[in-house]
């Protein structure tokens, strides 16, 4: 009698998407890990996660969040989403954001002009500052992250405000 559960392709895809959002590897990867333990090779999902750098974690989480936003049809006012940044200790941390109302979003699209070059300049630091002042970044502390990470957050917030569907 075979007690092993056989999943359909749709079930496997749904399980793998859920596992990916939780930061785990695909189902097949875990099955492989179980098999290798029986062969006295210790290759587990945890061992692979330890080898993963903070930058890899950040990229994977941000990619998954983008996919989630696209699948749900975009963002709506007062909806919560997240973006992962790397703090000063080199650890990946999620920053929880709230999507602004239409009235609030208008001030995040302001562009200044450089008098020397005549080109448009968008200050991403100001965008993060406006989100913070409007209480759209709860529990966010500027001093926890390097300026390059804050600028990256500003780029993402600017993109989301201008295109909430991420198309």
């Amino acid at each position: 009698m075979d007690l092993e559960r056989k999943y359909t392709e749709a079930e496997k895809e749904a399980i793998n998407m859920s596992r990916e959002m939780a930061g785990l590897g695909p189902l097949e990867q875990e099955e492989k890990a179980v098999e290798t333990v029986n062969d006295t090779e210790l290759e587990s999902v945890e061992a692979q996660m330890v080898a993963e750098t903070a930058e890899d974690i950040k990229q994977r989480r941000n990619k998954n969040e983008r996919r989630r936003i696209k699948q749900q049809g975009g963002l709506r006012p007062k909806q919560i989403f997240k973006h992962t940044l790397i703090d000063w200790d080199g650890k990946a941390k999620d920053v929880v954001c709230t999507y602004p109302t239409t009235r609030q979003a208008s001030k995040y699209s302001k562009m200044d002009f450089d008098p020397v070059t005549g080109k448009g300049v968008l200050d991403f630091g100001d965008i993060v500052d406006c989100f913070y002042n409007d209480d759209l970044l709860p529990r966010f502390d500027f001093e926890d992250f390097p300026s390059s990470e804050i600028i990256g957050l500003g780029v993402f917030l600017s993109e989301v405000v201008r295109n909430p569907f991420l198309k």
Side-chain angles (χ1 to χ4, degrees), residues 2 111 148:
D2 186 24
M111 185 178 286
S148 60

Side-chain angles (χ1 to χ4, degrees), residues 35-46:
E35 290 171 8
T36 56
V37 167
N38 293 338
D39 296 335
T40 67
E41 287 183 29
L42 188 58
E43 181 183 335
S44 67
V45 174
E46 291 177 23

Side-chain angles (χ1 to χ4, degrees), residues 100-134:
T101 61
T102 305
R103 180 176 291 171
Q104 288 173 319
S106 63
K107 64 179 148 183
Y108 307 130
S109 301
K110 291 181 183 173
M111 185 178 286
D112 295 326
F113 288 97
D114 184 1
V116 176
T117 62
K119 294 182 180 180
V121 177
L122 187 59
D123 189 357
F124 296 114
D126 283 347
I127 293 170
V128 175
D129 196 38
C130 287
F131 262 79
Y132 182 79
N133 291 337
D134 288 340

Side-chain angles (χ1 to χ4, degrees), residues 61-129:
R61 285 183 184 172
N62 289 340
K63 180 179 159 190
N64 290 342
E65 184 66 9
R66 284 178 169 278
R67 184 180 312 130
R68 184 189 70 82
I69 291 170
K70 286 179 184 178
Q71 286 177 347
Q72 74 179 14
L75 293 169
R76 302 200 180 10
K78 303 290 181 186
Q79 185 174 359
I80 294 175
F81 60 99
K82 64 182 178 175
H83 190 72
T84 304
L85 303 176
I86 298 175
D87 65 5
W88 284 107
D89 297 329
K91 296 178 183 174
K93 288 178 69 175
D94 289 332
V95 175
V96 177
C97 311
T98 305
Y99 192 75
T101 61
T102 305
R103 180 176 291 171
Q104 288 173 319
S106 63
K107 64 179 148 183
Y108 307 130
S109 301
K110 291 181 183 173
M111 185 178 286
D112 295 326
F113 288 97
D114 184 1
V116 176
T117 62
K119 294 182 180 180
V121 177
L122 187 59
D123 189 357
F124 296 114
D126 283 347
I127 293 170
V128 175
D129 196 38

